[in-house]
Amino acid sequence: SGMADVAALTGDTGYVTAIQKIWDNVAGKKLYITGGIGARASGEAFGDNYELPNMTAYNETCAAVGNDFWNHRLFLLDPDAKYIDVMERTLYNGLISGVSLDGKTFFYPNPLESNGQHQRSPWFGVACCPSNITRFMASVPGYVYAQRGDALWVNLYMASNAEVKLDNGRVLTIKQQTRYPWDGAVRMTVSPDRASLAAIHVRIPGWAHNEAVSTDLYHFADAASARATVKINGTPVPMKLDRGYVTITRLWRRGDTIEVNLPMPVRRVAANDQVTADKGRVAIQRGPIVYAAEWVDNPQGQVRNLVLPASAKLTAEFKPGLLNGVEVVKSRAIAFAYDEQGKVTRTEQEFTAIPYYAWANRGRGQMA
């Protein structure tokens, strides 16, 4: 983040070149599907290329916050949606997993698998994670939009009201109506203080155009037929993406509407074959949310013995009374176990997954 700031202030191309090489390595070889970074607890460090263990993943909460700071600064240097894609992935998954739903307990590491040995703590001897979460959560509104000259970038989707002052002195008031990240329908009402010519860059997340990440580290294992759409005052806009954005340049008048529709099928995500820890495995993702199976939602209180067949249909359902209201993913899985004679048995059973960020809020147990 500091390198990006220095590059912005000085225009030093050496910094820009170096920081881009680092980003390419992190996003292409060292990023967890949750947006977490830092595979090794020893030294709180990155591992080797493609070293992404699940049970022992360190993924410090502070590192997730730092990853979002860094990607936002890189976007401000060079407005490419690939940085916001990483920022959003981290924000909704490996960052907010670091705090419990009641805000009272915290995770230092954020692993991708547990046998029940992980539990959030109310405090730490070195309490950087709680304080970083505290300051970051309050700063989230500042990441929704970005402005330069007479142009506006819409980066994050959340029900909100904002006033943005352009360099020409005009003020744009923008109201977002949406249930994102549970629903991909977003309605934005744009109301300038007076008719204004401006360019609004509307981000189409990578996951909404079949791109798990902008590198080859992860890819969707299944196809999605539904496509994202954008409408202005009810009229479809050509879906021509420029660095992840649909750009709309027009004379904006009070009450103009932008409607974005981002279909959210449940998808399977596979890792690059060089990630040995993930061979034969898939992650489950819907919209920007990565899912986890937890002990309390599945029969026998076990999930690490489950196999999800490639043919198993994945469906989503909103549960308003669960974990402060979450979309869950349902399916049928195969549970493997040993019987009394030591033979392997296989039993088909119900399968439920919750958003990864919400795990470990109902006591200790298995998670994958």
Side-chain angles (χ1 to χ4, degrees):
S1 295
M3 287 175 69
D5 286 343
V6 171
L9 291 167
T10 65
D12 190 321
T13 56
Y15 278 113
V16 175
T17 301
I19 202 169
Q20 186 58 56
K21 286 182 178 178
I22 296 171
W23 188 89
D24 288 343
N25 182 256
V26 173
K29 297 178 175 64
K30 296 176 180 175
L31 180 75
Y32 278 90
I33 191 66
T34 57
I37 54 173
R40 297 180 183 177
S42 176
E44 299 188 319
F46 286 108
D48 293 332
N49 290 341
Y50 304 108
E51 182 187 331
L52 295 167
N54 294 296
M55 180 82 78
T56 61
Y58 190 58
N59 287 347
E60 187 192 10
T61 298
C62 282
V65 173
N67 201 23
D68 271 1
F69 286 157
W70 180 37
N71 276 278
H72 186 247
R73 282 165 164 82
L74 287 174
F75 163 80
L76 294 177
L77 267 180
D78 178 27
D80 191 316
K82 68 182 182 181
Y83 303 121
I84 304 299
D85 284 349
V86 173
M87 187 179 86
E88 181 184 65
R89 176 175 295 280
T90 304
L91 169 62
Y92 282 117
N93 300 293
L95 191 155
I96 57 172
S97 60
V99 59
S100 62
L101 295 176
D102 63 8
K104 295 179 180 179
T105 54
F106 306 87
F107 267 146
Y108 218 99
N110 294 270
L112 273 68
E113 188 174 3
S114 177
N115 203 24
Q117 73 271 41
H118 299 94
Q119 184 176 22
R120 290 188 176 88
S121 171
W123 204 244
F124 305 101
V126 179
C128 51
C129 294
S131 51
N132 258 328
I133 279 280
T134 301
R135 67 168 177 159
F136 185 85
M137 298 285 264
S139 75
V140 168
Y143 296 100
V144 178
Y145 301 102
Q147 173 269 331
R148 177 184 292 165
D150 299 331
L152 179 76
W153 282 260
V154 182
N155 285 332
L156 299 178
Y157 297 111
M158 55 187 70
S160 57
N161 295 286
E163 286 188 358
V164 181
K165 187 175 182 179
L166 305 179
D167 284 4
N168 62 11
R170 302 284 190 267
V171 176
L172 293 181
T173 299
I174 305 174
K175 180 179 182 179
Q176 279 198 42
Q177 296 167 284
T178 183
R179 290 183 63 250
Y180 193 95
W182 310 126
D183 191 302
V186 183
R187 180 183 175 90
M188 289 178 276
T189 304
V190 182
S191 295
D193 53 354
R194 49 184 159 161
S196 302
L197 180 66
I200 297 183
H201 304 272
V202 178
R203 173 175 162 260
I204 306 299
W207 58 260
H209 53 89
N210 214 40
E211 189 176 83
V213 290
S214 65
T215 66
D216 67 354
L217 184 55
Y218 300 105
H219 64 275
F220 288 116
D222 45 17
S225 55
R227 297 181 178 274
T229 60
V230 177
K231 295 179 180 179
I232 298 294
N233 298 329
T235 302
V237 171
M239 292 298 293
K240 182 181 179 182
L241 289 184
D242 180 15
R243 310 186 86 194
Y245 293 87
V246 172
T247 300
I248 307 161
T249 303
R250 59 180 275 128
L251 187 67
W252 295 94
R253 301 182 188 277
R254 181 173 293 273
D256 281 344
T257 60
I258 303 172
E259 293 174 84
V260 182
N261 184 51
L262 306 170
M264 290 185 172
V266 184
R267 309 288 302 275
R268 289 170 169 83
V269 184
N272 187 297
D273 287 342
Q274 295 188 69
V275 183
T276 56
D278 291 340
K279 283 195 172 181
R281 293 184 167 194
V282 292
I284 298 171
Q285 182 173 329
R286 180 180 182 272
I289 303 295
V290 174
Y291 281 77
E294 196 176 20
W295 65 278
V296 70
D297 303 303
N298 291 277
Q300 312 304 319
Q302 295 181 325
V303 297
R304 297 183 63 234
N305 64 325
L306 299 183
V307 169
L308 188 64
S311 60
K313 183 179 179 182
L314 302 171
T315 59
E317 179 184 352
F318 189 73
K319 297 278 191 179
L322 179 66
L323 298 166
N324 292 357
V326 292
E327 197 91 20
V328 301
V329 170
K330 307 281 286 185
S331 189
R332 302 282 294 178
I334 306 298
F336 284 86
Y338 288 109
D339 65 14
E340 293 179 353
Q341 286 73 43
K343 294 181 179 179
V344 175
T345 65
R346 47 183 293 155
T347 307
E348 185 175 329
Q349 65 181 45
E350 293 291 325
F351 171 83
T352 301
I354 61 166
Y356 166 79
Y357 75 78
W359 81 282
N361 277 279
R362 295 169 291 174
R364 293 191 186 200
Q366 289 189 2
M367 180 277 291

